[in-house]
Structure formats: structure tokens, C-alpha cells
Amino acid sequence: MKTMTRPRILVVGAGFAGVECVRRLERRLSPGEADVTLVTPFAYQLYLPLLPQVASGVLTPQSIALSLRRSSKYRTRIIPGGAIGVDLKAKVCVVRTITDEIVDEPYDHIVLAPGSVTRTFDIPGLTDHAFGMKTLAEAAYIRDHVISQLDLADASKDPAERASRLQFVVVGGGYAGTETAACLQRLTHAAVKRYPRLDPKLIKWHLIDIAPKLMPELGDKLGRSAQEVLHRRGIEVSLGVSIDKAAAEEVTFTDGRVVPTRTLIWTAGVVASPLIATLGAETVRGRLAVTPEMCLPGDDGVFALGDCAAVPDLAKDEEGAICPPTAQHAMRQGRHVAENVIAALRKQPLKPYVHKDLGLVVDLGGKDAVSKPLGVELRGLPAQVVARGYHWSALRTGVAKARVATNWLLNAVAGDDFVRTGFQARKPAKLKDFEYTDSYLTPDQVREHVEGSRRG
């Protein structure tokens, strides 16, 4: 007599795409219709767009870490770890738990939403000396580091050391880099008033990007407006420039300039999670090639979305257009792919994903912002209202909304205390220490591990 088991749905990743998928599955599936499992090292969803405000101390880290267990209806099983390989033929996902144990998780349907990692290049010293801005730990660490540079510069009697500690370099003229430079410059500008021995003119921020324009997606006018805001604040923007090499106490630009600095923040784009390479499947610019229904061609029950997937953008007329790796697409794809998984379970037709971009918002801190909601160009306070209103409304829980609103109000009224929290008390940590990109298996290693587990 055969034992009937419920279909197993495995969701990899708790970013915007993965969490929206799980939430929709829980609402739409009856309790006995399928088992849902989520693989994530942290039991929270990180609201990435507000990460620069955590680094600058406007928001507390907890305010943008949205608990996955807060809902009383939450019934998804969470495996605390990261997926390091997928065997599509055996329908097994290999997971490294937070205790470094390797476990095999079988599935009937898998939703791949592992997101992305920081894109780096073969630049001497980059991963050893640069900070990233992709995780909550990195944002909190950078805040400590920047404040510690002010403390150390204030205590130093060496003019050269003081000058190098008060220069900061941000690489990447996209949204992450621009907002990071803008928010952290406001932090140092406000903090230096508490350091009477420091000359404010010594504090210099550099924002560089190899592209000819700042945030080209915003258009020429808004891009120039953002650049004017940065210039007015004293941030030196260099376009058509990147990093030639990095060292502990200086950075060399590709135009030959050598900048003495102890702070290099790298935000020059992202690439799909290394998990995608373990599948041995076709990719488009490093992202997994999928159908408009977000299915992997030729593999039944495999869906991929978000930053790791090249989802065709059917809302654009241009051939070969794919959806950009933005939060609004990831959230909508998450809900849509959940409906397609349910349709697959119920033997119903799947529907293609179509969503027209609603626009972009860039929060430069204080009253400064540039926004383009539905194609309408805004600057200054109106743009800031739109930017913060959009982020606030996109937060998933009422508790998170209350925390963020309270943090914004408190920071506006009382300012910052410029307190270091102790993240730097022990071993220094740089970009290579936060994203664990060397943890993944090769396709051959995945197959060998799965076959070995079955024989054992």
C-alpha cells in the first residue's frame, strides 16, 4: 500500500522575491495541499534600499530587518543556512547550515530566489581592503568604522595619518553608491562638530564610477540634479574613473591619482548568487535564463526570479529586454511565481509575468532627494516625501513601519549620538568576509555529494 506524501515546495532565499512567494503560497494553499520550506541563513527579510540609512545611523539595524516569524499564520519550515548547490536531475538542494553541517533537502518544486552578491573585479587589493554595502552586518560595521576614523584622527598627532583617516572613497555611481556617499557624508559633516580639534575642511568624500553619467536610469536632468546636490555638500564626483589598486592606507585611481584613505566602500554593481553556477544551466549576463513564466526551460518544477534570473521584460517593446534587479520587480515576481507554482500543482496553465516599472526614488538624506514616480521628475522636498513614502509603504509589517517612522522623526529632531557599537573591537572585516562567496560547490561536486549521500 503506497503512502501518499504532500508535494514539497522549496524556496531558496528570503529577499523580496522569496518572502513574497512564501507569503502568497501560505495564503493561497490549503494546509494539507503542500509542504513549504524556506532556506535562509537569517530569519528575517532585509529591506535593502534603506541600508545606507543604517550605515549613517538614521535608522537602527533592527528597523529594516523584518522578522519572518511575526505572522501568527506562519507555517513555513525554515532551514537556517544557505543553499550551496542544486542537483536538478535528483531534485535535491544541498544546504550548508549556520553550524556548517551539510544537509540534502529534496523537493518536488523549487523556487530559486537567492538574490545577488557584490560584483568585484580582479583589482589588486580590492577584496582585502574594501567594504561592501550588501548586508546588515556590513552597514553596521561601516558606521562603526567611519566614526572610529574620526576618533582616531582626533587623537592622532601625525598630520598625514589624520588626513588619510578623514578621506573616504565610494566606488559605484548607482543608487547604492550615491545614497551611501550622500548619507555617510551627512554623518561625518554632523559628527565633526563634536570634534573641536578636527578641521572640517580635512574631511573629503570621493564618489567615483567608470560610467559617464551618475545614475543614468534617472535621465540626464535628475542625474545632474543629484550630482549638483553632492557637489554642494563637498562630495567630489569623478566619472569615467575606477580603482586601479587598493592598499591599507591608500587607493590608486585609474586616472593616476593616489588618494590616502583608510575607507574604501565598493558598491559597483551586483551579480547573481554563485548558487546559479552550480546548476550548469544557460545564463544571460550571469543570470539564469528563464521563460516569461519564470520557469527553467527543460526542467519541470524549477522556477527562478529576482536578481538571480533573467526574467523577460514583456512590458518593454525591445527584443531581449530583461527585468532590472529592483525591489519592485522582485516583490511582484515573488507573488506571481507563487501563483504559477500553485497552478503547476493543480495542473492549471501558467501565466507570464508582466509589470511596468513604476519609477525610481533616490534618498540623499535630509531634505535632498530625486525621484521619478510614473515618469514625473521631482527634486528636493517633494522628491523626499515620495521616496520615504514609497519605502515606508513597502515595509511588510506594521512594527517595521512604526520603527522606521520613529527613527526618522527622532533623527530629524534630536540628531545622532555618533556612538560606536563595538563591531570593530576584534578582527577587522572587509568585503571578502561578509558574503561567503567561496562556500559554493561546483556542479560536479554537487552531483558527487548527492550520489554519495544516496549510497551512504
Side-chain angles (χ1 to χ4, degrees):
M1 191 173 178
K2 288 187 177 179
T3 302
M4 298 298 292
T5 59
R6 289 191 292 264
R8 298 162 297 186
I9 302 172
L10 182 64
V11 180
V12 176
F16 289 106
V19 169
E20 288 298 323
C21 176
V22 167
R23 293 182 73 213
R24 180 60 63 93
L25 288 172
E26 288 193 322
R27 281 198 293 268
R28 296 273 285 110
L29 288 171
S30 61
E33 194 170 359
D35 291 328
V36 181
T37 300
L38 176 65
V39 178
T40 174
F42 308 107
Y44 63 77
Q45 175 198 351
L46 178 63
Y47 192 83
L48 269 171
L50 292 178
L51 212 52
Q53 295 191 35
V54 171
S56 62
V58 174
L59 299 176
T60 60
Q62 189 181 11
S63 62
I64 66 167
L66 286 64
S67 173
L68 299 179
R69 300 185 186 275
R70 190 154 192 94
S71 171
S72 58
K73 296 181 180 179
Y74 202 90
R75 65 175 191 269
T76 297
R77 169 175 161 251
I78 296 178
I79 300 177
I84 59 173
V86 178
D87 189 327
L88 297 175
K89 186 177 179 180
K91 290 199 168 188
V92 170
C93 180
V94 183
V95 179
R96 188 191 301 275
T97 70
I98 57 175
T99 56
D100 259 350
E101 181 185 0
I102 306 294
V103 298
D104 294 344
E105 188 63 28
Y107 63 84
D108 297 300
H109 298 271
I110 187 169
V111 177
L112 297 170
S116 56
V117 296
T118 301
R119 178 181 62 183
T120 58
F121 300 98
D122 190 19
I123 298 173
L126 176 64
T127 57
D128 291 321
H129 301 292
F131 299 99
M133 182 60 79
K134 197 76 173 66
T135 67
L136 195 60
E138 283 176 311
Y141 191 93
I142 285 174
R143 172 176 164 77
D144 266 20
H145 171 82
V146 169
I147 295 174
S148 72
Q149 297 313 297
L150 299 178
D151 289 343
L152 292 165
D154 183 63
S156 176
K157 297 179 181 179
D158 181 356
E161 179 190 352
R162 180 176 291 186
S164 72
R165 292 194 182 280
L166 296 179
Q167 288 210 73
F168 307 89
V169 178
V170 179
V171 184
Y175 307 111
T178 302
E179 290 186 335
T180 296
C183 290
L184 285 173
Q185 185 275 337
R186 279 180 58 84
L187 170 67
T188 56
H189 178 74
V192 76
K193 298 173 184 176
R194 313 285 179 90
Y195 296 84
R197 296 180 65 250
L198 292 181
D199 182 355
K201 294 179 181 178
L202 287 176
I203 297 180
K204 296 179 182 178
W205 280 88
H206 302 264
L207 175 62
I208 70 172
D209 194 280
I210 197 65
K213 296 179 181 178
L214 197 68
M215 296 181 293
E217 297 88 347
L218 281 173
D220 291 342
K221 291 183 180 179
L222 284 184
R224 281 198 301 270
S225 296
Q227 196 164 338
E228 287 168 6
V229 169
L230 300 180
H231 179 73
R232 188 172 69 243
R233 291 198 197 162
I235 299 174
E236 183 178 325
V237 179
S238 301
L239 300 174
V241 177
S242 189
I243 295 295
D244 185 54
K245 60 182 178 180
E249 298 181 10
E250 66 179 27
V251 171
T252 304
F253 293 176
T254 51
D255 62 4
R257 280 181 290 166
V258 178
V259 177
T261 181
R262 313 292 179 97
T263 308
L264 170 61
I265 302 174
W266 180 267
T267 63
V270 297
V271 293
S273 165
L275 177 67
I276 298 308
T278 72
L279 276 67
E282 182 186 351
T283 59
V284 178
R285 283 175 272 175
R287 298 164 71 183
L288 199 60
V290 296
T291 68
E293 294 77 18
M294 291 175 281
C295 298
L296 187 64
D299 282 281
D300 183 43
V302 180
F303 299 83
L305 66 162
D307 291 7
C308 77
V311 179
D313 193 345
L314 301 183
K316 292 183 179 177
D317 294 331
E318 55 191 275
E319 187 178 350
I322 59 177
C323 296
T326 61
Q328 62 173 290
H329 275 291
M331 292 169 72
R332 287 164 177 81
Q333 287 172 9
R335 294 192 285 268
H336 192 94
V337 87
E339 295 293 343
N340 278 347
V341 170
I342 294 169
L345 284 173
R346 297 173 181 172
K347 310 300 182 186
Q348 297 170 349
L350 277 57
K351 296 180 180 179
Y353 169 77
V354 183
H355 169 65
K356 189 174 181 180
D357 204 305
L358 299 178
L360 302 161
V361 295
V362 181
D363 189 336
L364 300 174
K367 297 178 181 179
D368 295 321
V370 289
S371 301
K372 197 175 181 179
L374 302 174
V376 179
E377 296 187 349
L378 299 174
R379 300 166 182 80
L381 190 56
Q384 183 64 282
V385 171
V386 170
R388 294 203 169 181
Y390 172 78
H391 290 316
W392 186 83
S393 64
L395 291 166
R396 190 169 46 80
T397 67
V399 171
K401 289 179 179 180
R403 283 186 178 135
V404 166
T406 302
N407 284 176
W408 278 338
L409 178 62
L410 189 60
N411 185 266
V413 173
D416 199 326
D417 287 329
F418 314 111
V419 173
R420 284 186 285 119
T421 52
F423 281 102
Q424 288 194 296
R426 295 178 180 271
K427 177 184 172 184
K430 296 295 178 1
L431 195 151
K432 66 175 184 176
D433 301 307
F434 283 103
E435 297 191 35
Y436 309 106
T437 52
D438 57 350
S439 298
Y440 297 84
L441 305 177
T442 66
D444 289 340
Q445 287 173 327
V446 173
R447 283 191 293 272
E448 184 180 340
H449 170 79
V450 172
E451 289 172 3
S453 298
R454 288 184 168 181
R455 287 195 299 267

